[in-house]
Amino acid sequence: MCGIVAYVGHREAYPVILKGLKRLEYRGYDSAGIALNDSKLSVYKKQGKVARLEESLVGVELKATIGIGHTRWATHGEPSDRNAHPHLSASGRLAMIHNGIIENYASLKLELEKKGYAFKSDTDTEVLLNFIDDILIRNQCSLEEAVRIALKRVVGAYVIVLMDEEDPSTLIAARKGSPLVIGVGENEHFLASDASPIIEYTKQVVYVNDYELAIIKGNELILKNLGNEIVTPFVQQLDLELAAIEKGGYDHFMLKEIFEQPKTIFDCLRGRLDIANQDIIMSGVQHYMEELKTANRIIIIACGTSWHAGLVAEYIIEELCRIPVEVEYASEFRYRNPIVNKGDVLFAISQSGETADTLVAIERAKEQGAIIFGILNVVGSSIARISHAGAYTHAGPEIGVASTKAFTAQLVVLAMIALKIAKEKKSISNARFMHLMHELNAVPEKVKEILASTEKIKAVASKHAAASSFLFLGRGYNFPIALEGALKLKEISYIHAEGYPAAEMKHGPIALVDENLPVLFVATKDAYHEKVVSNMQEINARKGKLIAVVTAGDHSVLSLTGDLIEVPEADEVIAPILNVVPLQLLSYYIGVERGLDVDRPRNLAKSVTVE
Ligand code: G6P
């Protein structure tokens, strides 16, 4: 969602900010803008892509060495030039960018209107900005002081960055609930929603915490809490290379990330799967082993693709560890007065570690005494900082909006956690434990085999790219993969798609089947295989267009008519990690065939930082 970038130092700010905005495009946005402070504030903003803003600025002299930039994902007010950030305050003295939502903006607006303020946009941001402006002018105080006073009245989530025309060497920033990273250079500072706009300049970063305010000049960074006490910045070294956030010869980030999976899965297993010593090394899990082993219940909360990883984990943990598992959408959990008992452990799964609903759901569960275990990709993210323990997925930066490599890494981590608990609990035999260890170890090579059949999958995609609707079916471990296949297709191709448990097909979806409907089965060999083959026969009998992901060499599917995509044989516990890969490729190629921007699908955001 909204991306923020800011710079103060010795370079020209415009090129740094523009490039930063391009790096943040993946987060999802509908308009972009920049403000520069050359002892006079200049604001440039446009609805549409960053490139459109750039074109509009060709030939304009932009020399300032301090500035702020923003990509907006509309919440309050339609996407338009007028609603794009940065906003200028009524006095004309302040410019501000904002990521988040000011929930009590309506009452603040009323207050300001009574004082004679008029608004140029429909945004909550302009309300907060004028609220700060009003305090600044009435109290004749510093901007830092005005921001502090204003934020004490604000309900909601925000990162804000402000510039004051009267102080063209300082940026003021504050954070609550939305991410903010500050890059520390030689007499320069870079601010951004994540590290991607920063890493080509410096790897020294400070992650600003909630309720902190930063006063930033080229050569100085002061952090304070809202009580005006100085906080010592914790400077960390980023473990990230520029190549990781570039396309590296692929047409799209999504394709690059799909093809990275043999490596990302290997990285995820590396140092953890200790086959020689018959062990899984995960210090976070080990530290809380007693609580995990004796847990009454594991509650998994997540959103989107991460929620599908949670569903797979439900099957795995219940099967291997014999611990009851509940999987919840974070957005539902946070509002429904959930019952969290002593002895419950909460797993939060999130690629970004910033999803607003997941963050708040964790806070609710924490208040009730739950142990919070984060399964996260982004190191140092907000969820990482509020979890008691956890395990990183080590998939590297995921830029394509549709999650691919982060999902398979989540599945690998969750399988390892389940195996480790099961071993300690002795809920599975040693032989089964070792078999599954070997199965996990073989995953990177098997994913490579699937990727080798990309051309075949591309041909299947081409055949079905004009469809207007798709049905995805699977059973057991493959049911969440059917859901994930449907979600991927919706996200990337805008084709309506539904995922269903295969056995439920007869309770409704079968009415949709005709000669135009592609029906995709995730039908690798498992405990229910024969039943799923019967379901596929039923689709054949009704002339639906059958597509099936099947186990290589499975004779029981040879009599079927349709497109069969083979994947290597695997234990049913591990198979979901493999089975999702052809579905990722299928969605990708259908999206490309339909001429869509697969890395930046309309309306979607990579990191949903507002509820
Ligand atoms: C957005 C993204 C999805 C992601 C979901 C949850 O909708 O587009 O790809 O699965 O958020 O995000 P998280 O970062 O918490 O996994």
Side-chain angles (χ1 to χ4, degrees), residues 112-184:
L112 290 167
E113 278 169 344
K114 282 188 190 147
K115 290 181 181 169
Y117 274 86
F119 293 87
K120 295 187 267 297
S121 76
D122 310 316
T123 63
D124 51 341
T125 305
E126 196 191 1
V127 174
L128 175 57
L129 173 61
N130 280 331
F131 190 57
I132 296 170
D133 187 81
D134 183 53
I135 296 169
L136 179 74
I137 287 161
R138 268 190 307 115
N139 292 10
Q140 296 282 306
C141 58
S142 66
L143 176 57
E144 176 198 331
E145 185 59 23
V147 169
R148 198 175 5 257
I149 295 169
L151 292 183
K152 288 187 181 149
R153 288 277 312 276
V154 163
V155 179
Y158 53 79
V159 160
I160 52 172
V161 187
L162 291 110
M163 291 191 303
D164 181 353
E165 192 169 75
E166 294 183 10
D167 180 4
S169 60
T170 310
L171 295 169
I172 303 282
R175 163 200 163 134
K176 191 211 147 202
S178 297
L180 175 63
V181 190
I182 301 179
V184 182

Side-chain angles (χ1 to χ4, degrees), residues 91-106:
S91 71
R93 193 177 141 180
L94 305 177
M96 184 172 102
I97 49 176
H98 167 218
N99 172 15
I101 289 184
I102 307 302
E103 287 170 18
N104 59 337
Y105 85 102

Side-chain angles (χ1 to χ4, degrees), residues 254-255 258 454 456-465 470-472 485 488-489 492-493 495 518-520 547-549 563 565 580-593 598:
M254 182 176 174
L255 191 61
I258 292 171
T454 294
K456 162 132 205 230
I457 298 167
K458 193 172 171 182
V460 177
S462 172
K463 201 164 148 187
H464 299 283
F470 254 78
L471 193 57
F472 285 76
K488 260 337 46 121
L489 190 69
I492 298 306
S493 71
I495 295 175
V519 184
L520 189 148
I547 310 166
V549 175
D563 296 307
I565 300 168
V580 74
V581 177
L583 306 190
Q584 297 168 344
L585 285 166
L586 189 75
S587 303
Y588 171 77
Y589 283 112
I590 291 181
V592 169
E593 179 102 8
V598 293

